[in-house]
Each structure stands twice: as structure tokens, then as C-alpha cells.
Amino acid sequence: MNIKGKHYRTIWPHPDDERVIQIIDQRHLPHRFVIEDLKTLEDFEAAIRDMHVRGAPLIGSAAAYGMYVAALQFSASQNFDEKMREAAARLKATRPTAVNLAYAVDMVMKVIDQPVANGHEQELALVVAHHITEESVAHCRSIGEHGLKIIEEIHQRKLQQSPPIVNPKSSIVNILTHCNAGWLACIDHGTATAPIYAAHDRGIPVHVWVDETRPRNQGASLTAFELAEHGVPHTVIADNTGGHLMQHGMVDMVIVGTDRTTRTGEVANKIGTYLKALAAADNGVPFYVGVPSSSIDWSLRPDQGRELPDIPIEERDAGEVHFISGLDEKSGEVREVRLTPKDSPAANYAFDVTPARLVTGLITERGVCAASEEGLVGLFAEQKDK
Ligand code: MRU
């Protein structure tokens, strides 16, 4: 995606030194554009845990590059294998909900554990990190193409119902999204945003309702930033606004991302996603999820008789609820201010799980399917007997 006309990905090897990995430090967006160099395993742990990088696919890619950097760091170590197992565990512990992280770390471990890897672990880890990254870009692009068809259908229906000659705005497709499942959460394109960018680029009129997404405001600061950079019409709304908009016919569809989708179609995503899905179901608004296969946990389904699967839900520091930061327009500085009384405790659950019955469809790189085991296995037949 472009920033001020220049193409960027969210993570890339330093052009002059492949041992250094560069990222956009997303903590500073939208007010400052900061590139950070990551050189050690500790740098990667901090970058993922403290959300310099975030979003399930990007966390996966970053973790793979973290394993590569760890392999460089421990290359002279006598107990290289043990150090790498420790590195894998440390990276996996940084953020528990997104399955992409474990998927990426395990993929690197699997490749460098093979006897043929002996002496070539660093190069192989880099090859795997590049592969995961390129695959993510390709999957996001395909999600865009599949989701585009849904947006196009809604646009055509609206055109027929009310031709633009009667009301020029009536065929605009209004899409609500939550958090940031855009290119900043991935490497490029995004998952939830990929169909939106594809539609916009093809001249289909879209408008995006952007949930601010408290407490870290990924919608207000990141989704709004990237949509603005791409020229996509959008409006930032307070988190509680979606239900009202849906009741008044102002949302044609919801598209969100996912950190972990089970083999039976339950969707873990940013806290508040479930409430949007409930409001969408109550108002007959289709609710779609952009799901790259790297975000599917094929080993997981709800236990017998239960609706919700056992997905680890990250609990973050209460300080993220107590404090908010933003640009002081008078001084031009970014400042942090307290929102809550000093004596009030706060809780900070970062994700929730939306039951499959509330999901209209999963938009994967292989096509759109029902949020069910039949739907997913229909597209990913190789997972049938797992
Ligand atoms: O806590 P974050 O910012 O990492 O949460 C991100 C989300 O919840 C995204 O919707 C999800 O990772 C999908 S990203 C394509």
C-alpha cells in the first residue's frame, strides 16, 4: 500500500543488511511515521508483545523473522537446538490469541529441525519467513477478489432498487469494519479491507464505517489512516454506533478480520466483534469475516454441547483502558492522558469469540464458504481427516 505515494509493506529486510528486519512501528500512527530496526530476538518479542506490529498475519510474519534473527543470534551457540526451542516458546508467549504466530514459529522449527538443515538453519529460516510473508500477500489479494464479488452484488442490487438518477448516493455500498484488519495488520492489502480496496479500485462506490475500537483505537488510528491514504471514503464512529446505523439501513454489510477461526467456523477477533455480529443478525445485515487459512486453527472445535471453543483470550494491561493518547494540536506533541478515576480498577480483554451461527460467510483465499466444518473442509479438502 502507498503512504504519501510511496509503496510500503509492513515488514521487510533492511535493503543494506539482511540481518536486520525493518517494520513500521504502528504505535506512532497516524501522527508519526516511524520505521524501526529489529536485530535481536528480544527486539522481536517486544515488538510483538507491545504491539509495534500487530494483526494476526503480520504477527505471524514477524514471528518467523524473529526465528530467523534468533538463528543468527545463536548460530555460534553449542546448544543451538535448545536455544531455538526456547526462542520459539518465547515468541509464542508474546500474544496468545492469534494462531498465525504459532503457525509461523512451528513452520520455521519444522524446517530447521530437519537433518538436511544442518549448518543452513539461518538461510532456511529466512526462506520460510519470506515464504510466509509472500503467501500472506497472495492470500490477502485472493480474499480481495472473492469478497469483491459480494460487494459488487450488493452494489448491483442497490442500483436496481434506486437508480443513481433518482439518488446519486443510493448505490454506495456502506461497509462497517471493526479494529484494523487492513494492510497494516497484514503485509499488504489486508483481509477485511482487501475486498474494500478491490471494489474501490474498480470504481464501485464504497463507504466504510470505521469503529474506533477502544481501548487501543486500531480503527480510529490505523484503519482510518490507511483508508485515507488510499482515498477510500470512510467515517470514524464511536464503538457503540454500529447498532444504530444498522437499525436505520445505513450498513449494507460488515466485514471483520480474525485472529483464530476454528474448524467449525467460530471466529475470535478484536473485543467488540461479537456485539457487531449480534446487531448485524438482529437487523438482517450480512456479517462476513476475511479469513486467510493461516488464521484457521484446524485442531479446534467447541467441546460437545458447548457453543464456544476454548480459545485463549489475551488480557492486556489495564493501563490501556485507563489512559488514552493522542495529538495535542496546540503543542504538536503526542500526549497521554488519564480517563478513569485513580481508584477505579479496569479490565482489558483484547478479543471475543463470535459463534458461527452469527457469521454469514467466511471469505478465504480459496473462496467464500459457510462458517461451518462442511463449509471450510469443502474449500480445504486436505484438512478433512485432521
Ligand atoms: O490486537 P490487534 O491489533 O493485534 O488485533 C487485531 C485484530 O483483531 C484483527 O482484526 C485481526 O488480527 C485480523 S488482522 C487481518
Side-chain angles (χ1 to χ4, degrees):
M1 299 295 298
N2 289 348
I3 298 181
K4 307 274 170 277
K6 182 169 184 243
H7 183 264
Y8 282 94
R9 284 184 169 186
T10 51
I11 190 164
W12 63 93
H14 193 294
D16 301 325
D17 184 354
E18 221 177 33
R19 291 167 305 170
V20 177
I21 302 300
Q22 297 194 292
I23 57 162
I24 300 170
D25 184 347
Q26 301 189 15
R27 294 171 305 165
H28 303 288
L29 290 172
H31 308 301
R32 288 196 297 138
F33 182 72
V34 176
I35 291 176
E36 184 184 5
D37 288 353
L38 304 179
K39 299 176 183 165
T40 62
L41 172 62
E42 290 71 24
D43 289 346
F44 274 90
E45 282 181 280
I48 299 172
R49 188 188 51 236
D50 302 335
M51 293 175 66
H52 311 196
V53 287
R54 25 69 50 204
L58 177 54
I59 293 173
S61 177
Y65 281 115
M67 289 294 285
Y68 156 63
V69 164
L72 290 174
Q73 203 169 323
F74 302 130
S75 58
S77 170
Q78 299 257 302
N79 44 358
F80 177 81
D81 291 349
E82 194 185 320
K83 290 269 186 206
M84 287 307 290
R85 275 194 292 279
E86 269 170 39
R90 280 165 61 175
L91 285 166
K92 281 187 187 180
T94 52
R95 296 202 69 192
T97 303
V99 73
N100 304 59
L101 200 158
Y103 167 88
V105 168
D106 289 343
M107 199 188 268
V108 176
M109 276 309 272
K110 198 169 151 196
V111 171
I112 67 172
D113 258 353
Q114 290 169 8
V116 285
N118 202 359
H120 299 281
E121 286 85 355
Q122 295 77 15
E123 295 152 52
L124 285 172
L126 184 60
V127 169
V128 177
H130 286 335
H131 169 78
I132 287 171
T133 304
E134 293 306 324
E135 185 181 69
S136 170
V137 175
H139 286 179
C140 287
R141 196 181 295 119
S142 299
I143 287 171
E145 291 306 312
H146 294 300
L148 166 67
K149 292 181 202 138
I150 301 169
I151 299 179
E152 208 159 16
E153 269 172 39
I154 295 174
H155 174 56
Q156 287 303 330
R157 200 176 56 232
K158 291 186 87 173
L159 270 177
Q160 278 160 17
Q161 280 164 0
S162 170
I165 195 126
V166 180
N167 174 1
K169 287 194 171 169
S170 62
S171 68
I172 296 174
V173 181
N174 287 295
I175 302 167
L176 184 140
T177 192
H178 190 67
C179 193
N180 173 259
W183 75 269
L184 283 164
C186 305
I187 317 301
D188 211 343
H189 308 288
T191 56
T193 56
I196 297 172
Y197 288 129
H200 174 80
D201 291 349
R202 296 221 194 8
I204 298 172
V206 289
H207 165 263
V208 185
W209 296 110
V210 179
D211 281 351
E212 61 176 348
T213 320
R214 280 283 294 146
R216 286 188 70 103
N217 296 307
Q218 290 96 324
S221 31
L222 303 178
T223 305
F225 170 78
E226 58 171 87
L227 291 174
E229 288 292 325
H230 201 82
V232 179
H234 63 282
T235 308
V236 179
I237 50 176
D239 280 330
N240 305 323
T241 312
H244 167 78
L245 297 177
M246 291 184 210
Q247 284 176 322
H248 290 83
M250 294 160 81
V251 181
D252 296 304
M253 70 188 297
V254 178
I255 317 183
V256 297
T258 178
D259 284 79
R260 191 186 294 235
T261 289
T262 65
R263 72 180 289 129
T264 42
E266 290 75 28
V267 174
N269 191 49
K270 181 54 54 193
I271 193 81
T273 301
Y274 169 52
L275 288 176
K276 297 302 139 76
L278 280 174
D282 199 39
N283 290 282
V285 173
F287 184 95
Y288 286 95
V289 186
V291 190
S293 52
S294 56
S295 296
I296 302 173
D297 186 342
W298 294 102
S299 69
L300 208 56
R301 62 166 82 240
D303 286 343
Q304 191 77 31
R306 313 197 89 173
E307 184 172 56
L308 293 185
D310 200 8
I311 294 180
I313 299 296
E314 179 178 4
E315 286 183 52
R316 295 188 62 84
D317 194 307
E320 294 180 353
V321 177
H322 287 305
F323 296 92
I324 192 162
S325 77
L327 184 71
D328 179 342
E329 289 198 320
K330 282 197 193 111
S331 68
E333 309 232 318
V334 173
R335 288 178 43 202
E336 191 171 74
V337 292
R338 188 174 183 104
L339 286 172
T340 53
K342 269 214 157 77
D343 294 332
S344 296
N348 189 6
Y349 298 95
F351 298 93
D352 60 26
V353 180
T354 297
R357 68 183 156 82
L358 297 177
V359 178
T360 309
L362 305 174
I363 311 172
T364 77
E365 70 267 18
R366 294 201 191 164
V368 183
C369 69
S372 64
E373 185 162 14
E374 296 71 37
L376 279 168
V377 168
L379 292 178
F380 296 89
E382 69 274 23
Q383 300 292 343
K384 190 165 187 286
D385 300 320
K386 291 198 179 154

